[in-house]
Amino acid sequence: MKVSGEALMGDQSYGIDMNTAERIAEEVGAAVKAGYEMCLVIGGGNIFRGLQAAAKGMDRAAADYMGMLATVMNALAMQTALERRGVQTRVQSAIPMTTVCEPYIRRRAVRHMEKGRVVIFAAGTGNPFFTTDTAAALRAAEMGCDALFKGTQVDGVYSADPKKDPNAERYDQLDYLDVIARDLKVMDASAVTLMRDNQIPIVVFDIQKTNGLADVLDGRGVCTVVGPKPAQKR
């Protein structure tokens, strides 16, 4: 599951609202107890945005590395919230910092998940010029995930921002190529392409809704599924 950094802000304008983190942790914990293997990627936009800093004159690579460090802070906060609920959690960082978390090792991450632990992948891909969306897609492919869930502020994918455009059209299902061709702001193009190449569906849902994750996992929730185009009936 990919969670944006902004989702952790709650009603604040900056930083981590631990009440919000606790609520998301409650949902993830419920999914684990229901038997699902879960891994997470959390963005860092609630603390630092590399792209915005670069636009103001900061070196892009340095700005992106700072953004990666912000994702580590969010990952540690989410780990704390999950472990308060008795959910064993491991944070693995693409940038080695062994004092606070494990380095990213794919086979170790797979083993953690097999043991019922939640793995939070921090520091993006470990490389500048790549978003945490791409990191989430990459980890989903590496872990052999059945689906990539993206928790957003709305209940699916729209033709425009529904908070600004009341006439925005909501989609129940989209093909990967539709997302790219229409420039829909689901995930960046490299992430969508990676999911297309590995035939992993992207499920976009409202992370702010109580029990939103559980409802979508049960097939009852409102969401948009981005996946292979359905075969035409003859």
Side-chain angles (χ1 to χ4, degrees):
M1 183 169 74
K2 163 67 192 303
V3 181
S4 67
E6 288 89 340
L8 295 184
M9 289 195 300
D11 295 328
Q12 301 175 173
S13 59
Y14 178 82
I16 302 168
D17 175 26
M18 283 308 297
N19 289 330
T20 301
E22 296 276 356
R23 185 186 58 75
I24 295 173
E26 186 73 38
E27 304 234 354
V28 174
V32 172
K33 290 174 184 175
Y36 293 97
E37 293 180 358
M38 297 287 296
C39 52
L40 309 178
V41 170
I42 305 174
N46 56 321
I47 297 173
F48 189 87
R49 279 192 168 277
L51 203 57
Q52 291 180 356
K56 294 178 181 179
M58 180 178 286
D59 176 75
R60 174 65 188 276
D64 281 355
Y65 280 123
M66 292 173 69
M68 291 179 218
L69 297 178
T71 71
V72 177
M73 288 188 269
N74 285 338
L76 294 174
M78 184 58 64
Q79 180 184 39
T80 298
L82 283 165
E83 292 192 335
R84 282 180 183 172
R85 282 158 177 72
V87 180
Q88 292 191 6
T89 308
R90 298 291 186 272
V91 174
Q92 290 196 348
S93 171
I95 299 175
M97 47 185 78
T98 53
T99 301
V100 295
C101 58
E102 297 179 2
Y104 171 65
I105 300 173
R106 188 186 70 84
R107 290 178 64 87
R108 182 182 290 179
V110 170
R111 186 63 178 141
H112 285 320
M113 292 174 64
E114 289 173 347
K115 291 182 177 180
R117 298 166 183 157
V118 172
V119 181
I120 306 176
F121 299 111
T125 66
N127 302 288
F129 303 100
F130 290 94
T131 67
T132 48
D133 278 351
T134 300
L138 177 62
R139 299 297 182 240
E142 289 181 301
M143 295 299 108
C145 293
D146 296 310
L148 171 56
F149 288 77
K150 181 169 183 182
T152 67
Q153 314 298 314
V154 291
D155 59 356
V157 180
Y158 287 78
S159 58
D161 187 343
K163 295 180 180 179
K164 298 178 180 178
D165 183 357
N167 296 315
E169 179 186 359
R170 185 185 168 282
Y171 305 103
D172 287 325
Q173 188 161 5
L174 288 164
D175 180 73
Y176 302 106
L177 293 179
D178 290 335
V179 172
I180 297 172
R182 300 179 193 178
D183 194 26
L184 299 174
K185 306 302 181 183
V186 182
M187 306 183 93
D188 60 67
S190 60
V192 175
T193 300
L194 185 55
M195 292 295 86
R196 175 175 175 264
D197 290 345
N198 290 277
Q199 294 294 286
I200 298 174
I202 304 168
V203 182
V204 183
F205 71 104
D206 186 356
I207 192 68
Q208 304 294 344
K209 180 183 177 183
T210 302
N211 296 323
L213 177 59
D215 288 345
V216 172
L217 287 171
D218 289 342
R220 297 180 285 109
V222 178
C223 64
T224 298
V225 178
V226 180
K229 183 173 290 186
Q232 295 291 329
K233 293 183 179 179
R234 295 183 179 181

